[in-house]
Amino acid sequence: VTRIRAVAVHDVRFPTAAAGDGSDALNRGDYSATYVELRTDGPHTGAGFTFTNGRGNELTCAAVRALAHHVEGRTLDELFADPLRFSRSLTADVQLRWLGPEKGVIHMATGALVNAVWDLRAKRDGKPLWRLLAEMPTAELVACVDFRHIDDALTPEEATAILDQGLAGRDERLAGIARDGFPSYTTSVGWLGYPDEKVRALARAAYADGWRAMKMKVGGDIDDDVRRAEIIRAEIGPDALLMMDANQVRG
Amino acid sequence: VTRIRAVAVHDVRFPTAAAGDGSDALNRGDYSATYVELRTDGPHTGAGFTFTNGRGNELTCAAVRALAHHVEGRTLDELFADPLRFSRSLTADVQLRWLGPEKGVIHMATGALVNAVWDLRAKRDGKPLWRLLAEMPTAELVACVDFRHIDDALTPEEATAILDQGLAGRDERLAGIARDGFPSYTTSVGWLGYPDEKVRALARAAYADGWRAMKMKVGGDIDDDVRRAEIIRAEIGPDALLMMDANQVRG
């Protein structure tokens, strides 16, 4: 039996704004993370976090502490016996729901706690979380989803049908991921606040490191965007994928 | 010149859950308020607050503190020279906007600060806020509204036309409010967690006190709702207004 004894909250800050790391057309903040550890009486700790692109991380830390009593003292078996009830204990805490519900600071804190519980379960079961979810029986997976706000668009029965359909070829796909990994991209080459030569050096290094998909930020000055895109394309060649993200800025 | 020197934040708590004060079909919390005082170098302080139906008020207090630097050191004239810029400095603080933006804890804190600034202006101008707004020239009023998220439904020009149309009869309406007050209702008679005899006594007292409109909470057990409605109607007679609020609970 894995019982959660305490929730430790770490307020982690990175001074990213100074050099423009993480900057885009809307944001230039000091990255920070509310890092949550579930301490248990067993061999594992559960880890989860929520990320904010800016200061004010003390708010999400305080929100995790305000919600922590919903997991402290509970066992994993209790929480997963009714996963919906567990997640709703966080999203509909009668003393905290006016601070959200299900939005902003309190939503982010809920995510950190829910993810930490899932992380703890995956560790207990001895497999990565992606495999735990991919191998989970359909009925169990559907029982984890709160359909309260979406059942006009998707019912549990429809979700079940979609997931059951996805069972075809699942084993081959799992073997493929285990063998080849999962395709991914890097955003680190093209933050909006980076000077051109930094973009060039980072794109070159990322390509040499094996990356074949890169994302750049756009949405500031159009001529700057074009020039930076040319720099990256020149470094990664015609076949690699170049993606652009304007972060909701209107032209 | 009225300059804001400091923002004082008070964490005010009321143990309302115990007796069911404020309870409805969804909520039974300990009311709390984040009470904000703008201290100035002049004779006035600006007061604003945000209210939460529950514990966790430390989150909105912390959010006000995180935003306070946008008003500290500023003069009222500066803030109202471009009210949209002022409100956006709070809703789009580049270091805090990922905590919202414009929702939940950070939104509530923004409201407390914006309201405190308006309160300070009304005090400086020597009139109640409702009169300040009612007498404000249309262009100035429209300039205070952020149309960013609503201009597909309402443009500044359309808002101007609506407000200008409302100028007809304004002076008579203002005189009427000054003479008769503004019609209002009380919710205090019918919180869902109150026993019948408390509802009866409160309805009777409110009617004797001059109230002619009462709101009760419904949405729990239908027979309870009917019985409680009968009690209130018996006390307030056939002519007073009885309103019902199910607080989003589905039947």
Side-chain angles (χ1 to χ4, degrees), chain A residues 17 26-30 51-56 58-59 62-63 66 94-99 103-105 108 248, chain B residues 17 26-30 51-56 58-60 62-63 66 94-99 103-106 108:
Chain A
L26 267 183
N27 304 292
R28 185 171 182 139
D30 287 320
F51 159 80
T52 69
N53 182 359
R55 298 176 196 125
E58 68 275 12
L59 300 181
V94 72
Q95 290 279 2
L96 299 175
R97 60 180 295 283
W98 274 35
L99 297 173
K103 61 171 73 79
V105 168
M108 296 160 85
Q248 317 131 48
Chain B
L26 267 183
N27 304 293
R28 185 171 181 139
D30 287 321
F51 159 80
T52 69
N53 182 359
R55 299 177 196 124
E58 69 275 12
L59 300 181
T60 37
V94 73
Q95 290 279 2
L96 299 175
R97 58 180 297 283
W98 275 35
L99 298 173
K103 60 171 75 75
V105 168
I106 206 89
M108 296 160 85

Side-chain angles (χ1 to χ4, degrees), chain A residues 7-10 34-38 48-50 57-72 90 96 105-106 108-113, chain B residues 58-59:
Chain A
V7 176
V9 186
H10 306 277
T34 298
Y35 188 86
V36 174
E37 261 186 297
L38 305 181
F49 75 98
T50 185
N57 195 46
E58 68 275 12
L59 300 181
T60 37
C61 287
V64 171
R65 290 188 196 101
L67 290 165
H69 64 98
H70 290 293
V71 300
E72 284 171 341
L90 299 168
L96 299 175
V105 168
I106 205 90
M108 296 160 85
T110 294
L113 275 166
Chain B
E58 69 275 12
L59 300 181

